[in-house]
Every structure is written in C-alpha cells, then in structure tokens.
Amino acid sequence: MLRGTEELIDIGSDHGLLCAYAVTMGRAAHATAVDSLSKARALMRELSLEDMVGFAVSDGFMNIDIAAKNYSVVIAGMGGELIARILEAGGDKARRAAEIAMQPMGGAKELREYLYANGFDITDESIIEEGGRYYQLILTHYDGISRPLPDGGLLEFGEIAYGKREAALKKLLDKVCATRGKKLQSAKNSG
C-alpha cells in the first residue's frame, strides 16, 4: 500500500518487522521504529540492519525528530480513536507526511470521521483476512480539505474498499451482519 520513501516511521512498531521489511525490500531508505523497542533492536541486530533502522521511544510523534523531507508513517495495531489522537497530537509532523498507512484494530468508523473532518484525504483502503480475522487498511495524506461524511456503512467499512469489491469485505460484512443479528435477537428475547 505504501510507495517508496526516504524515511519510514513506524509508530507502535513492536517487533520492528515492518521496518526490517521496508529497508530490505527497498521500500524505504531508512526506517525509525517507535515503541518500547527491545524486540525491534534484537531483530535489527539479528538482520544486521542497525545502520538502516533507527529507534525512538515516543508517545506518537512527540519525541521523533524527522530530518527527511519525504517520509511515510505507519500506525497499526491500535484503536481508531487512539490513531486519531496520535495524528492530532502529531500536528505538523503528521500533516507533512507524504502518506500515512493505518490499520485500526477497532474504531475504523471513528478514525474515518476524524480524517474526513480534519483535512486528511483517504487515497486507498483495503480489507484483508488473516486467520479468520479482518483488518482494515487505510492510506491517507493531509491536504487540508474537510470532506462530508459518507453514509454509515461506507464510513464504517470504507468507500474505496467498497468500490474495489474485495472478497474479504464481503466476508467481513457477512460476519458483522450475523453478529449484529444475534445481538438484535438476544435483545428481542430479553424484552
């Protein structure tokens, strides 16, 4: 989903796998892993990538110095509301990013509401299935243009993802409908 970049900043990098992949595959000239970092440091030593991957312990963008003019950001594996707060607190660092790839673990609707209202243009979306779980991927960049919110389902699952008619989206919608149907039936049964 991300294009090539001078610097990749992975906020919440955990093991650092994305940073390692990006630099070894030539998708980033340099990467910065942002997290508690002990796992990421061990991986970079094991792969001999210490010169290509930097480290920062930071709350979002706060303690990250970004020298690169062209940089991309990944924020994955946390709730959509938290991702929105990270973008908001990131200020100019978030707005200057060439692209920001996000993978909310929940709260995708709330994240999209923030993006639309705060001048972030959603340029790509995808839904993938892994081990019976569904993950929404959102690619955006800041252009300063606030946008009207799409209808509920498109806001929750993504206009672009819907337009692609991906098989994983159909499966996700079936799963959500079944779950919500059970909740409605349970509420009806309990009065």
Side-chain angles (χ1 to χ4, degrees):
M1 188 173 260
L2 289 171
R3 296 180 296 267
T5 186
E6 183 179 337
E7 173 80 18
L8 174 69
I9 299 163
D10 184 8
I11 296 176
S13 61
D14 194 30
H15 289 86
L17 295 172
L18 180 63
C19 289
Y21 177 83
V23 297
T24 58
M25 299 305 289
R27 301 296 294 267
H30 188 269
T32 299
V34 181
D35 208 331
S36 62
L37 304 177
S38 60
K39 297 173 194 172
R41 285 183 195 278
L43 177 66
M44 297 317 140
R45 271 193 304 276
E46 180 183 323
L47 298 175
S48 300
L49 296 175
E50 298 100 332
D51 294 342
M52 298 179 79
V53 178
F55 303 95
V57 177
S58 180
D59 183 6
F61 289 92
M62 287 230 200
N63 299 328
I64 304 171
D65 292 322
I66 304 171
K69 293 202 184 313
N70 174 23
Y71 62 93
S72 299
V73 176
V74 174
I75 309 173
M78 52 192 83
E81 298 91 342
L82 177 56
I83 294 172
R85 287 195 304 270
I86 289 169
L87 293 173
E88 184 67 24
D92 194 46
K93 291 176 185 177
R95 291 188 295 270
R96 285 188 298 117
E99 54 191 357
I100 303 169
M102 298 159 289
Q103 183 271 303
M105 292 301 290
K109 177 183 176 195
E110 292 78 7
L111 176 57
R112 284 189 185 91
E113 285 173 346
Y114 172 83
L115 297 172
Y116 282 110
N118 290 281
F120 287 89
D121 182 27
I122 298 174
T123 56
D124 199 5
E125 296 173 307
S126 193
I127 309 238
I128 58 169
E129 178 186 7
E130 178 76 28
R133 293 188 56 126
Y134 296 90
Y135 301 93
Q136 294 191 49
L137 305 174
I138 302 169
L139 186 67
T140 189
H141 73 275
Y142 181 80
D143 65 6
I145 301 169
S146 296
R147 292 166 173 78
L149 298 178
D151 292 333
L154 296 177
L155 186 60
E156 187 172 356
F157 301 104
E159 283 184 285
I160 296 172
Y162 180 78
K164 291 179 177 180
R165 301 293 200 267
E166 295 174 334
L169 175 60
K170 167 88 170 74
K171 291 179 183 179
L172 173 59
L173 291 173
D174 289 342
K175 182 178 180 178
V176 168
C177 286
T179 301
R180 292 180 182 169
K182 288 177 187 176
K183 287 181 181 179
L184 286 171
Q185 187 60 48
S186 178
K188 180 180 175 184
N189 292 343
S190 62

